[in-house]
Amino acid sequence: MVAELTKNERQGALVILLALAITGLAMAAGGRGDPFGVHGALVLVTAIVGIFAVISGYYAPEPSPDRLDSYYDTPTKFGIIAAMVWAVIGMAVGDWVAWLLAYPEWTFDAAWASFGRLRPVHTSGVIFGFGGNALIATSFYVMQRTSRARLPDQLTPWFVLFGYNLFCVIAATGYLMGVTQSKEYAEPEWYADIWLVIVWVVYFVLYLRTLNRRKEPHIYVSNWYYLAFILVVAMLHIVNNLAVPISWGSAKSYSLFSGVQDAMTEWWYGHNAVAFFLTSGFLGMMYYYMPKRAGRPIYSYRMSIISFWGITFFYMWAGSHHLHYTALPQWVQSLGMTFSVMLLVPSWVSAGNALMTLNGAWHKVRDDAVLRFMMVAAVFYGLSTFEGSFMAIRPVNALSHYTDWTVGHVHAGALGWVAMITFGAIYASVPWLWKRNGMYSAKLVEAHFWLALAGTIIYVFAMWNSGIIQGLMWRTYNESGTLAYSFVDSLVAMHPYYIARAVGGVFFLLGAIIGFYNIWMTIRTASQDEAAQNTADRPVAEPAVGVPALQPGE
Amino acid sequence: MFGFHYRLERKTIGLVLGIIGVASIGGLVEIAPLFTIHQTVEDAPDMRVYTPLELAGRNIYIREGCYACHSQMIRTLRDEVERYGPYSLAVESKYDHPMLWGSKRTGPDLARLGEKYSDDWHVAHMINPRDVVPESVMPGYAFLQRTELRTDDLGKHLKAQRDVGVPYTDDMIANAAADAYGQAAPDSPAADGVTKRYGKATTVRAFDGKPNDLTEMDALVAYLQILGRLTDAAHKPVATAEKKP
């Protein structure tokens, strides 16, 4: 990896790592006796390891100028492996906590091992670890191809990927030590948030730099979605995480907002983390990998325009449907409900556009499990956006809110849509990236597909059942006009569904482990087949004849 | 329209500005007025701030992720009001940085938990929930009983709270650590300072049954016992804000 950097980039890497080491040292010194100091030590050690790695490769020969004739894909390879590692960790912890709800004794008498601390490790592990790495990795791949331009340099993509994973590690280890802001899906504390802003700005600038080098006059639709993902996540992240730390040596901070304003800000963030992290970016992924794999062009250019701007505009109003019947003013609730229902239009336009793209390629869907992953993802996208709009209707929400139905809905989207499209995209790109004819085992891809689909369906049905039963039991009255069930009655009724849900989780986790093994074996099996060398897969050289194919900025 | 887009999608900056503009509108319309419209949060003149011990307990509640399974927001629905008590008002979480309304009830709502159960019940429940509720799936928190509460930085906590808008006085900030100790040690001289600064109605008890040790259990139980009791606005027949001219 260091060998791929130019001399200047190696020096730049050393400067960045040195600054990081000094920051880590200051944090460790200032935060003694606090988790803040532990994280300082973690940053320091990471930076020192990085410095050693760069120094050990410092005197290696510089990369040859030939590299500029091909795309720079090593960061994408790293990102895909990181995504799979986080997938296995995040899903394993998720399944463990699912079992804890059925059998609360299956843990240790230790603070870190309780449900409340492990749950955010699961949510952040799968959303930010698995989803985030997959988004960054595929965005590097897609923006280069659709722009026909190489990444502008070799150092920035590594900064983005390593920086982002450092954020994920700080987040996950922090939860185990009890460091959390308690804002759902924005749990990391102030210093991790600041670090993520730095990484994110560099990511955004890298994206713009690559787009500006493009040899295609038009920016492809995938890039609109990736851009919306990067920009809006930055907006949400900065506003929702505004906080005052109690000191520069403590992990603890207090949110700038309180009560009802905080609730609205948090769910404006929370719902749009779903929109722009878990939808927008993955739609970008779908718009590239699905037509590529199916060998069909996108069905409708106009539908992609309508759905893109519809999603970007409507989603931002929908967050208040998380707060129906609460102390949030009714007018905000009504706006949230209205826009949530309208949101169905652009969502189904997207899902429809994806499925219509498969017209003429349905025989491939039958034969190719990779394409089937993507097709099922589009179907689940359609289903869960319909369910979401439905649950945002106030009287429906009266029943569904606070119950497992919400959990089921989230997982229909997260397992059925986000994870399926990601696995599809990863299975498609691994042979392309490592120049193989195909995956190590098509049968294992098939096995993963059925395990993932079965796991999702078991999970979602279990949570629909438990959620609706819960909601009904809480509001049932007996003949004398008093509540028929105590809270504990409803808890006991959940037990079989909690077991079923955890079993569904095992299926899904098993699929992910098989996928990881299959990817690993594909990489290890060295079959440098000439047929796999796609000569068309390279950036467009400068048109002037006789001039070296150097690109601006080199 | 599509012709315009055909040109727009050739301009990176055009796309970037378009996305920022289109995505900003919803948040601006829905969130900004919540800070300016007075009726959003009711008036409650009797509302008091959390004592340092209660605030420390609240931070333990946050640290352990209790909000993942317990809401603190009773909705305006008949069955919720009958099960949990009067529906929650915005003013009741006015000093909550951040709010803990929650989104899921794996366990029951806690908005009106304060003084519903005894301290002894809470301590036993925290050590092993299944000792008092056999069907419970809640984790045990026995370690709270054996962990000493950190009080040396409580002044900084109150100071940061004041920076974000909670009306703590200099006196409260200066005596934060002593007040935390005093609230769990009713017979100590420090106990008087607590009622002097936070009001006579403030509960001063040995929450975990041991007045000499100040543990995390003391703090958490003190917090659980104040839930829904910072103001009695929710128990009045009509929210006060509606009466204003």
Side-chain angles (χ1 to χ4, degrees), chain B residues 11-234:
Chain B
K11 303 269 185 291
T12 319
I13 294 305
L15 266 182
V16 166
L17 293 178
I19 291 167
I20 293 176
V22 165
S24 302
I25 301 168
L28 286 174
V29 173
E30 289 188 350
I31 300 176
L34 298 181
F35 291 92
T36 57
I37 299 175
H38 176 71
Q39 287 92 327
T40 302
V41 180
E42 306 82 357
D43 289 320
D46 64 331
M47 178 94 177
R48 80 154 164 88
V49 295
Y50 292 108
T51 65
L53 189 65
E54 291 155 6
L55 186 68
R58 190 170 195 275
N59 288 336
I60 293 167
Y61 184 98
I62 289 173
R63 186 186 75 194
E64 301 307 330
C66 306
Y67 58 86
C69 294
H70 294 284
S71 57
Q72 292 184 19
M73 173 48 62
I74 301 165
R75 296 182 292 170
T76 52
L77 298 169
R78 179 185 163 199
D79 60 291
E80 297 214 355
V81 171
E82 286 183 22
R83 187 180 300 278
Y84 299 116
Y87 58 81
S88 300
L89 300 182
V91 68
E92 292 180 274
S93 49
K94 151 168 108 158
Y95 296 142
D96 286 8
H97 293 264
M99 57 85 209
L100 294 171
W101 291 10
S103 61
K104 177 73 177 45
R105 284 181 188 153
T106 305
D109 187 276
L110 302 182
R112 308 245 171 265
L113 182 70
E115 300 299 339
K116 199 170 174 182
Y117 300 91
S118 67
D119 294 343
D120 288 348
W121 185 91
H122 279 298
V123 172
H125 184 245
M126 283 297 155
I127 290 172
N128 182 13
R130 279 154 293 285
D131 285 350
V132 284
V133 183
E135 305 88 346
S136 172
V137 298
M138 187 173 122
Y141 291 95
F143 67 89
L144 296 177
Q145 180 81 312
R146 42 178 204 258
T147 312
E148 199 187 328
L149 183 71
R150 183 174 173 185
T151 55
D152 62 315
D153 61 352
L154 278 174
K156 286 184 194 164
H157 282 266
L158 265 55
K159 177 83 178 32
Q161 285 264 309
R162 186 163 74 179
D163 291 343
V164 294
V166 184
Y168 283 107
T169 62
D170 289 338
D171 192 27
M172 288 169 171
I173 292 171
N175 292 291
D179 286 348
Y181 173 78
Q183 198 182 354
D187 298 328
S188 76
D192 296 336
V194 180
T195 45
K196 190 181 101 207
R197 275 178 283 275
Y198 295 91
K200 286 204 174 56
T202 309
T203 311
V204 178
R205 284 199 301 255
F207 292 96
D208 69 350
K210 287 179 284 186
N212 297 325
D213 310 327
L214 187 61
T215 62
E216 294 196 337
M217 186 69 88
D218 280 309
L220 185 62
V221 175
Y223 172 62
L224 296 176
Q225 295 290 30
I226 196 65
L227 284 172
R229 295 176 59 246
L230 290 177
T231 167
D232 61 0

Side-chain angles (χ1 to χ4, degrees), chain A residues 293-296 357-369 371-372 375:
Chain A
R293 188 75 185 185
R296 304 280 308 164
T357 300
L358 294 173
N359 270 351
W362 287 102
H363 61 288
K364 290 186 188 167
V365 177
R366 180 193 61 205
D367 298 334
D368 178 11
L371 192 56
R372 218 181 306 131
M375 186 277 286

Side-chain angles (χ1 to χ4, degrees), chain A residues 302-380:
Chain A
R302 293 184 173 194
M303 278 167 83
S304 47
I305 292 175
I306 292 169
S307 58
F308 175 73
W309 292 103
I311 284 172
T312 307
F313 181 63
F314 287 158
Y315 247 116
M316 299 300 278
W317 297 74
S320 52
H321 70 221
H322 288 254
L323 300 166
H324 281 327
Y325 301 100
T326 66
L328 181 75
Q330 178 115 353
W331 65 268
V332 193
Q333 300 179 21
S334 303
L335 274 178
M337 174 173 76
T338 312
F339 276 86
S340 302
V341 173
M342 292 196 286
L343 189 54
L344 186 61
V345 175
S347 300
W348 272 27
V349 171
S350 274
N353 205 5
L355 290 174
M356 299 289 263
T357 300
L358 294 173
N359 270 351
W362 287 102
H363 61 288
K364 290 186 188 167
V365 177
R366 180 193 61 205
D367 298 334
D368 178 11
V370 178
L371 192 56
R372 218 181 306 131
F373 262 115
M374 301 184 200
M375 186 277 286
V376 167
V379 171
F380 268 101

